[in-house]
């Protein structure tokens, strides 16, 4: 036996034992932490999912930031700015959480910019009117919460903990969207019509945010077994429709699906078929704004280069500068 094969055999044996410990931890609903052994496929799945999530947060800033300068009042502008800023923060938590898996933010951003990692397709739709800000908050952030609340119990510790704070902020986003739409819906006929039009355009893409139907979802089963995912795409989509129907009624708006009706037997609403060809097209890069979003992202990254350089220089200076002395000549270290 060569040294190499001996090592491989030993590694295989050790890996088996580690895998058993990992499986037991997942089965017992314990959290997997960065220093714990984990299967490579589990790590790769998390990196892919967390990167896609982080990218969606920062690309998602674009459609709404488009309306900051045109917000109809100071109050609305302040709310929208806070919301868009929150999304940047969500991106930062998630890139940091992904870095605990051995990747780097730089690497992930490079992949996003090269089109090798995805972000949520929903952000490839344009924001045509002010009411879109309301529809995004109500429907897009609403769908995000439905998807993300179960992630607070995800088996990977850093991801689960990042989601707790993110979900609290998303719930503010959803409420501000609802409140904005309510104000428009109760406003002039033109405002009401604008709100209805925005809901008509955002409804179906929001349902697509839950991903393909369960029988076509390639990653779902394994992610559920690893407890990264807790509910199937269709299950979450159903839950979202059930939440939205009474809320639409409260808003005085209709959902653009004549087939929505309560199904007593199933205890859920039935709804019409989703146009998955549209979803596939947007996914392939043929959505209305794919090109625009990536171009803007790359430009923002290039234009921000000086900020990254300055921050790195500042950190380096603090690393190499000896501690400042107090007024009496004693080194701070000695007095602290
Ligand atoms: Fe977010
Ligand atoms: Fe949000």
């Amino acid at each position: 036996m060569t040294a190499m094969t001996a090592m491989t055999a030993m590694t295989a044996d050790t890996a088996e034992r580690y895998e058993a410990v990992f499986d037991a931890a997942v089965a017992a609903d314990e959290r997997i932490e960065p220093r714990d052994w984990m299967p490579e496929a589990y790590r790769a799945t998390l990196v892919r999912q967390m990167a896609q999530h982080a990218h969606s947060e920062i690309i998602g800033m674009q459609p709404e930031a488009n309306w900051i300068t045109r917000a109809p009042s100071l109050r609305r502008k302040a709310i929208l700015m806070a919301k868009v800023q929150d999304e940047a923060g969500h991106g930062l938590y998630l890139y940091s959480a992904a870095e605990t898996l051995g990747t780097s933010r730089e690497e992930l951003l490079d992949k996003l910019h090269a089109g090798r990692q995805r972000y949520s397709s929903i952000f490839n739709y344009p924001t045509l009117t002010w009411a879109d800000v309301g529809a995004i908050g109500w429907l897009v952030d609403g769908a995000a919460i439905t998807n993300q609340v179960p992630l607070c119990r995800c088996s990977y510790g850093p991801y689960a903990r990042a989601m707790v704070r993110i979900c609290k902020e998303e719930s503010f986003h959803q409420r501000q969207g609802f409140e904005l739409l309510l104000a428009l819906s109760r406003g002039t006929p033109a405002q009401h019509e604008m709100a209805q039009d925005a809901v008509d355009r955002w409804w179906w893409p929001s349902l697509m945010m839950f991903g393909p139907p369960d029988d076509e979802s390639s990653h779902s089963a394994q992610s559920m077994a690893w407890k990264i995912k807790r509910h199937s795409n269709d299950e979450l989509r159903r839950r979202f429709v059930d939440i939205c129907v009474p809320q639409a009624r409260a808003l005085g708006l209709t959902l653009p699906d004549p087939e929505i009706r309560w199904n007593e037997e199933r205890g859920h609403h039935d709804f019409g078929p989703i146009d998955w060809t549209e979803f596939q097209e947007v996914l392939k890069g043929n959505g209305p704004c794919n090109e625009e979003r990536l171009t803007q992202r790359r430009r923002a990254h290039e234009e921000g280069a000086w900020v990254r350089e300055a921050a790195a220089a500042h950190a380096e200076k603090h690393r190499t500068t000896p501690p400042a002395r107090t007024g009496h000549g004693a080194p701070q270290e000695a007095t602290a």
Side-chain angles (χ1 to χ4, degrees):
M1 190 184 271
T2 65
M4 193 61 185
T5 51
M7 208 170 79
T8 314
M10 194 181 73
T11 311
D13 181 45
T14 315
E16 216 165 273
R17 273 186 289 132
Y18 281 170
E19 185 133 23
V21 173
F22 171 85
D23 289 343
V26 170
D29 261 335
E30 282 169 23
R31 294 270 182 268
I32 305 299
E33 296 298 336
R35 287 185 185 169
D36 294 339
W37 182 91
M38 61 188 86
E40 272 318 301
Y42 175 82
R43 186 187 299 274
T45 297
L46 277 169
V47 169
R48 182 182 50 77
Q49 180 173 336
M50 289 160 79
Q52 176 167 340
H53 194 162
H55 298 332
S56 304
E57 299 286 355
I58 60 165
I59 295 271
M61 296 166 74
Q62 291 184 34
E64 290 184 282
N66 177 36
W67 280 93
I68 290 176
T69 53
R70 292 173 288 165
S73 69
L74 186 59
R75 176 175 170 266
R76 292 287 177 200
K77 193 193 288 266
I79 294 172
L80 184 55
M81 279 173 71
K83 194 225 178 211
V84 171
Q85 209 165 12
D86 281 352
E87 306 298 6
H90 297 173
L92 295 186
Y93 310 152
L94 290 165
Y95 285 122
S96 299
E99 282 183 319
T100 64
L101 291 161
T103 180
S104 70
R105 192 188 306 182
E106 211 169 36
E107 192 182 326
L108 299 178
L109 284 174
D110 281 349
K111 285 184 179 157
L112 168 67
H113 298 155
R116 289 195 290 130
Q117 272 178 347
R118 287 187 175 140
Y119 56 88
S120 178
S121 297
I122 192 86
F123 301 117
N124 291 319
Y125 290 87
T127 38
L128 303 179
T129 71
W130 169 250
D132 288 30
V133 172
I136 290 180
W138 179 45
L139 295 173
V140 177
D141 289 274
I145 298 171
T146 311
N147 249 330
Q148 291 170 9
V149 164
L151 284 174
C152 298
R153 294 188 297 125
C154 158
S155 58
Y156 188 57
Y159 194 23
R161 288 188 289 273
M163 290 321 299
V164 173
R165 181 160 170 188
I166 290 178
C167 282
K168 285 185 183 156
E169 293 176 352
E170 294 300 357
S171 123
F172 154 72
H173 298 171
Q174 195 267 355
R175 278 151 193 256
Q176 66 82 36
F178 182 90
E179 198 258 341
L180 195 165
L181 282 179
L182 188 64
L184 288 176
S185 178
R186 291 180 177 170
T188 65
Q191 286 172 324
H192 180 89
E193 200 180 309
M194 195 199 275
Q196 183 61 59
D197 170 65
V199 169
D200 289 347
R201 282 181 289 107
W202 289 93
W203 174 249
W204 291 106
S206 302
L207 291 191
M208 296 176 199
M209 282 175 72
F210 296 92
D214 292 347
D215 46 8
E216 289 164 35
S217 174
S218 48
H219 304 293
S220 273
Q222 182 60 76
S223 285
M224 301 256 291
W226 278 329
K227 295 189 182 168
I228 293 174
K229 217 176 144 91
R230 299 276 180 165
H231 309 280
S232 77
N233 295 353
D234 287 332
E235 209 178 322
L236 292 166
R237 191 167 11 246
R238 253 198 322 269
R239 187 178 292 182
F240 178 66
V241 173
D242 287 342
I243 292 170
C244 289
V245 171
Q247 290 185 352
R249 215 173 291 132
L251 284 169
L253 298 171
T254 55
L255 296 172
D257 178 358
E259 293 182 41
I260 290 187
R261 60 183 54 85
W262 179 250
N263 183 324
E264 193 65 53
E265 215 170 286
R266 293 196 310 119
H268 289 289
H269 290 87
D270 288 333
F271 50 93
I274 294 171
D275 179 5
W276 291 109
T277 31
E278 176 184 320
F279 177 75
Q280 294 303 341
E281 279 308 304
V282 180
L283 211 60
K284 272 192 266 169
N286 303 328
C289 301
N290 294 57
E291 196 53 50
E292 188 184 327
R293 300 289 184 242
L294 260 190
T295 306
Q296 166 64 18
R297 174 89 273 287
R298 289 191 200 105
R299 188 166 59 225
H301 190 72
E302 279 160 28
E303 287 174 358
W306 70 271
V307 180
R308 291 190 296 279
E309 280 160 26
H314 183 75
E316 179 63 19
K317 194 166 130 192
H318 279 258
R319 202 175 61 80
T320 51
T321 311
R325 288 168 180 275
T326 67
H328 302 291
Q332 238 175 12
E333 272 171 336
T335 54

